[in-house]
Amino acid sequence: MNLRRTTTTRRALAAVAITTGLVFSLAGCGGDGDKEDGASKSSAPATQRESGDKPEASQSSTGEPLVEVKSNGITLKVTSAKRDQGGFVTLNGSVTNGTSHVWVGSTWKSDERELASNGGSLAGASLVDQAGKKKYLVLRDTQGRCLCTKFEGGISQGQSTDWFAQFPAPPEGTTSVQLQVPTMPPAQLDITEGE
């Protein structure tokens, strides 16, 4: 009986710790409105990429995405890649549907059984530290929900939506990683330190 209570208590504490970390991370990853001095969020898009082309890094200080890749009519932009104090790396960006139908993100879901219930989401994304030869999968809570955006209802033709995904942080010395999202070309990113 005591073992059961201890296990239940530990699970509850772990869930609270993960939820608290997520709340603090999301609060710290709020909009960059202060940096834009009231300017419109729509900025000149980075150079468009065709399917399979390598992405180019752009200057994030200009308001342009860090990276933009295209494949099968879908455009994925990464606008920030920040190392948080809690040992996470949080990526933010947008995805645009350039196809002729509603896009639901089903090809981006994870193959892991634990994340199967996340459906169309960024659960299948990963960060690869090529120098350290390690792969970091999207974080998940104790219920098997990814700490990432789910594209519920899909994205209509010509529409965009913002997304986020959290990963374990690579070692402090690692500043460059590769974002891998199923069906998209890999995107090389520089990690910045969170505030």
Side-chain angles (χ1 to χ4, degrees):
M1 193 76 161
N2 288 337
L3 179 61
R4 178 182 247 181
R5 259 190 221 156
T6 303
T7 304
T8 304
T9 303
R10 285 183 185 164
R11 285 184 184 157
L13 288 174
V16 168
I18 289 172
T19 304
T20 303
L22 178 59
V23 168
F24 284 127
S25 296
L26 290 177
C29 295
D32 291 336
D34 295 339
K35 295 179 183 175
E36 294 178 1
D37 295 327
S40 170
K41 281 196 170 189
S42 62
S43 60
T47 307
Q48 297 293 313
R49 308 266 162 248
E50 293 303 317
S51 177
D53 286 353
K54 286 187 176 181
E56 278 182 18
S58 65
Q59 295 133 2
S60 61
S61 61
T62 64
E64 293 183 4
L66 297 173
V67 168
E68 179 178 302
V69 291
K70 288 182 80 171
S71 181
N72 303 319
I74 302 301
T75 302
L76 175 73
K77 294 180 184 179
V78 180
T79 56
S80 70
K82 292 184 180 178
R83 183 187 304 269
D84 300 321
Q85 291 180 356
F88 308 105
V89 170
T90 302
L91 271 54
N92 290 289
S94 66
V95 62
T96 303
N97 179 6
T99 68
S100 59
H101 56 279
V102 173
W103 179 80
V104 294
S106 61
T107 57
W108 289 8
K109 67 181 182 178
S110 175
D111 291 335
E112 291 181 73
R113 190 174 347 149
E114 182 179 291
L115 294 173
S117 63
N118 286 278
S121 67
L122 276 156
S126 61
L127 291 181
V128 176
D129 172 7
Q130 293 174 318
K133 299 181 180 175
K134 289 192 177 182
K135 183 176 186 176
Y136 300 91
L137 303 177
V138 170
L139 291 170
R140 72 280 322 259
D141 65 14
T142 57
Q143 303 297 313
R145 293 179 297 237
C146 74
L147 300 183
C148 66
T149 299
K150 286 180 71 172
F151 303 107
E152 301 206 30
I155 303 172
S156 300
Q157 176 185 2
Q159 298 296 309
S160 296
T161 192
D162 292 334
W163 61 267
F164 85 96
Q166 282 194 319
F167 302 87
E172 289 290 330
T174 303
T175 58
S176 183
V177 292
Q178 189 177 76
L179 172 64
Q180 295 183 347
V181 177
T183 74
M184 302 299 284
Q188 198 70 29
L189 300 170
D190 290 329
I191 300 172
T192 60
E193 295 299 320
E195 298 175 3

